[in-house]
Amino acid sequence: GAADTAGSNVGTANTLSPLAAADDALVCADLADIDSLLTALASARFDPKLPTLVLIECVLVYMEPAAGSALLAFLAAHLPDAACLAYDMIRPDDAFGRQMVSNLEGRGLRIPGISGCADTNAHEARFAACGWRGCKSVDMVHWYERELPRVERQRVERLEWLDEVEEWRLLLSHYCFVLAHTPGAEREGGWASTLMWMLPATAPSSSQAATGPRALPNAD
């Protein structure tokens, strides 16, 4: 769902109609309005007791910090058997980060959520404060070079030759993954354990991720 929409051909959470089939549904809600989200989930016949994977792709950064935290707290309380994988921006205060924010603002896009979660440690702390467990976060350069299986990395790198390695690493270092779960998903052998390969058992600190050894992508 999206809190803001623009353009004559784009509807809002109040005007878009849900699409539903026998086994799935596509609904729209204002994620800054928990009542709106509850209504949308009910219309989709969503059962919160079932195992649930929550994917949050560059959503929290566009929300006001209080609204984003309220959403995370609601999901943690509402979904007893869930895992959450979030992807978001970080490091707005260095030269690249300031330019990134400026470029977005120049297009009329605000990212108020980045102010309270400027690094991976802050993301972990926020999820934990909102009721999630096992919170781990790494920036994408660490994940790409250290956690993504080598075979998959080599496959991707064969698709297109990458010669601007430093620029690539700089871009990746300003985005991160966050992985967390609720109590029902952490039982031994539970389904959420299949996601644990994505992040290290002990995630590096934000400073370690930014300044640690630099392994260049494999081009072979």
Side-chain angles (χ1 to χ4, degrees):
D4 298 298
T5 56
S8 59
N9 294 322
V10 180
T12 68
N14 294 323
T15 61
L16 290 178
S17 299
L19 300 175
D23 298 320
D24 53 48
L26 176 64
V27 296
C28 183
D30 181 351
L31 298 181
D33 181 348
I34 300 302
D35 288 337
S36 171
L37 179 56
L38 279 169
T39 299
L41 293 176
S43 71
R45 306 181 303 278
F46 176 76
D47 185 351
K49 298 183 181 65
L50 294 177
T52 303
L53 175 61
V54 180
L55 300 177
I56 305 178
E57 183 179 357
C58 271
V59 171
L60 299 173
V61 73
Y62 288 101
M63 301 178 69
E64 294 293 339
S69 293
L71 174 63
L72 291 176
F74 163 76
L75 293 171
H78 193 64
L79 305 173
D81 188 2
C84 179
L85 177 61
Y87 161 70
D88 230 321
M89 303 177 191
I90 54 173
R91 301 193 177 109
D93 298 322
D94 62 14
F96 185 93
R98 289 192 296 271
Q99 188 63 52
M100 176 176 67
V101 173
S102 177
N103 289 344
L104 289 170
E105 290 178 344
R107 297 165 54 194
L109 300 173
R110 295 177 57 250
I111 51 173
I114 201 171
S115 61
C117 287
D119 56 37
T120 54
N121 292 336
H123 277 282
E124 291 179 359
R126 181 192 206 183
F127 269 75
C130 291
W132 293 86
R133 299 187 182 184
C135 311
K136 302 174 186 176
S137 180
V138 295
D139 68 26
M140 286 189 65
V141 69
H142 175 94
W143 182 81
Y144 184 81
E145 295 177 355
R146 311 287 182 83
E147 307 304 328
L148 185 67
R150 181 183 179 87
V151 171
E152 177 62 13
R153 191 169 67 249
Q154 291 177 332
R155 183 191 71 81
V156 171
E157 290 165 1
R158 289 192 183 99
L159 297 178
E160 183 174 352
W161 174 258
L162 178 66
D163 56 356
E164 300 294 341
V165 175
E166 290 305 310
E167 287 78 2
W168 169 247
R169 297 186 81 259
L170 188 60
L171 177 63
L172 292 186
S173 70
H174 285 78
Y175 289 84
C176 74
F177 286 123
V178 189
L179 185 62
H181 55 76
T182 54
E186 70 179 347
R187 59 185 180 275
E188 185 175 355
W191 67 273
S193 64
T194 61
L195 300 174
M196 291 302 109
W197 68 269
M198 296 192 63
L199 298 182
T202 302
S205 69
S206 187
S207 60
Q208 289 174 325
T211 61
R214 299 169 62 174
L216 297 181
N218 297 294
D220 57 341

